[in-house]
Amino acid sequence: MTTRSALAITFLAAAGALATLPALAGQAAASAGPAAAAPVPTAFVTSLDANTVTPISTATNKAGKAIGVGINPDDVAVTPNGKTAYVTNSGASTVSAISTATRKVVKTIKVGKNPTFVAITPDGETAYVSAGDNTVTPISTASNTAGPAVKVPGGPGYIAVTPDGKTAYVADVIAGEVTPITVATNKPGKPVKVGKAPGFIAITPDGKTAYVADSNLRSNQVTPIHVATSTAAPPVKVGLHPTAIAITPDGKTAYVTCFNANTEQGSVYPITVAGNEPGKKIPVGGAPSHLAITPDGKTVFVTSGAGITPISVATSKAAAPIAAGAGPWAIVITADGKTAYVTDDGTGMQPGDTVTPVHIATRTAGQAIKTGLSPVDIALAP
């Protein structure tokens, strides 16, 4: 089984794109007569060991025909208009552009060696891809062509773009820095020192602060970056080995999963954004990896070896975990807040091959949906 070298969650980008759908549908209905049914999202799942992407209808929870892509497809992101899914083929030097309408690869794009992460600007015009040869490649989504690679010293990893679309922040897991790239010019700015091995980056909805998890096994810190000045604030102390971050829709609280790999006793820490103060740890067990927050901001769902643990935002209390496969991994939540989809990456010895839908209101798991081996990432597209 192939395992990922870093963690990625595409829920924030996917949810951000989908959250505008009800409003847009309402505007169309007002001007065009009787209201039409809102688009039903499709989930696109990358299977690292099958070299495929599986589309799943969220209306029926049925998998469509697997889409063949490159070697070891890893991260996936969908354009805000829902037309194209971009998949990094981490075992090659390519990105697959998939038409969500035809469910076919429309272009295989040459990028840097061993690409891992992809992020798309809010206007949908550019997809940024980080790769193992110290490059970040901008891709024009209009033409599916790669622009000149941006050199980033060290080892570029996770990418996050500010809500105003002006800056892409790239985590450098080797140099311990985050490099800001100006989207208008594709020029890198001065790197920001943030820890030993920066991994996941999450940006507040108002675009003022970027939180960076130091994914070093022995680290216990998250570094806030002031976006206006691209300067780091004092790090926030959390649990051992922080891996992923999600921020509530109101921008008040950032939740951090702490893997605690040495003890297998994982936890989640809330950070109050206003003062960058950590709250009391929330034990969830089972080495938590990913998390997603419901659109109403009431519940955080955390994936770990223990299952899928719901945490109440109001009380910071964890409920009993929901069983969903042997190794729950990536998670997304539909824009209507009704269903979470969770990939089963399996265990260290046995890869998984399913995605489980979880009914949020009842906190019950539905029937697992078959995908290719090692489903590691998932994104939603209308």
Side-chain angles (χ1 to χ4, degrees):
M1 175 187 178
T2 305
T3 57
R4 304 186 75 187
S5 59
L7 299 173
I9 305 172
T10 54
F11 162 74
L12 294 175
L18 289 168
T20 61
L21 289 176
L24 293 176
Q27 292 170 11
S31 60
V40 176
T42 298
F44 287 86
V45 183
T46 57
S47 292
L48 194 73
D49 292 332
N51 301 335
T52 60
V53 173
T54 300
I56 296 173
S57 168
T58 62
T60 63
N61 286 334
K62 301 292 184 183
K65 183 179 178 181
I67 305 163
V69 288
I71 300 171
N72 298 143
D74 198 344
D75 203 21
V76 55
V78 179
T79 52
N81 63 12
K83 292 183 177 181
T84 310
Y86 290 91
V87 177
T88 60
N89 299 311
S90 61
S93 300
T94 60
V95 166
S96 296
I98 297 173
S99 165
T100 60
T102 64
R103 298 180 179 180
K104 293 181 178 180
V105 175
V106 293
K107 187 78 173 289
T108 299
I109 306 161
K110 191 78 171 175
V111 292
K113 184 179 180 181
N114 304 126
T116 49
F117 293 98
V118 56
I120 300 172
T121 53
D123 62 11
E125 293 184 0
T126 308
Y128 284 96
V129 179
S130 62
D133 58 357
N134 302 345
T135 62
V136 174
T137 300
I139 296 172
S140 166
T141 60
S143 60
N144 282 327
T145 56
V150 181
K151 280 289 184 180
V152 177
Y158 196 84
I159 306 173
V161 182
T162 53
D164 62 10
K166 292 183 178 180
T167 308
Y169 283 98
V170 183
D172 186 337
V173 296
I174 294 176
E177 300 170 335
V178 167
T179 298
I181 296 175
T182 300
V183 170
T185 61
N186 286 327
K187 299 294 183 183
K190 183 181 179 180
V192 184
K193 195 70 177 177
V194 291
K196 293 182 179 180
F200 196 87
I201 303 171
I203 301 174
T204 53
D206 63 10
K208 292 182 178 180
T209 308
Y211 286 94
V212 184
D214 186 350
S215 60
N216 182 274
L217 290 173
R218 297 178 181 178
S219 174
N220 66 341
Q221 68 181 40
V222 170
T223 301
I225 294 175
H226 299 300
V227 171
T229 59
S230 282
T231 56
V236 182
K237 298 296 184 182
V238 292
L240 188 67
H241 193 186
T243 52
I245 306 169
I247 299 172
T248 52
D250 62 11
K252 292 183 178 180
T253 309
Y255 286 87
V256 184
T257 53
C258 297
F259 200 80
N260 292 5
N262 294 333
T263 63
E264 292 296 314
Q265 298 296 316
S267 57
V268 171
Y269 278 75
I271 297 174
T272 301
V273 170
N276 287 327
E277 293 293 332
K280 185 178 179 181
K281 76 173 181 179
I282 306 167
V284 294
S289 57
H290 293 69
L291 71 172
I293 301 174
T294 53
D296 62 12
K298 292 183 178 181
T299 310
V300 183
F301 284 87
V302 183
T303 64
S304 73
I308 304 155
T309 301
I311 296 173
S312 166
V313 170
T315 65
S316 289
K317 300 293 185 182
I322 304 161
W329 191 247
I331 178 171
V332 292
I333 297 176
T334 53
D336 61 12
K338 292 182 178 180
T339 310
Y341 289 87
V342 182
T343 69
D344 178 11
D345 191 33
T347 64
M349 299 298 294
Q350 183 65 40
D353 62 354
T354 60
V355 167
T356 299
V358 176
H359 190 261
I360 288 176
T362 61
R363 296 182 179 177
T364 55
Q367 184 174 354
I369 305 162
K370 275 280 188 179
T371 63
L373 284 177
S374 299
V376 293
D377 205 14
I378 183 169
L380 292 169

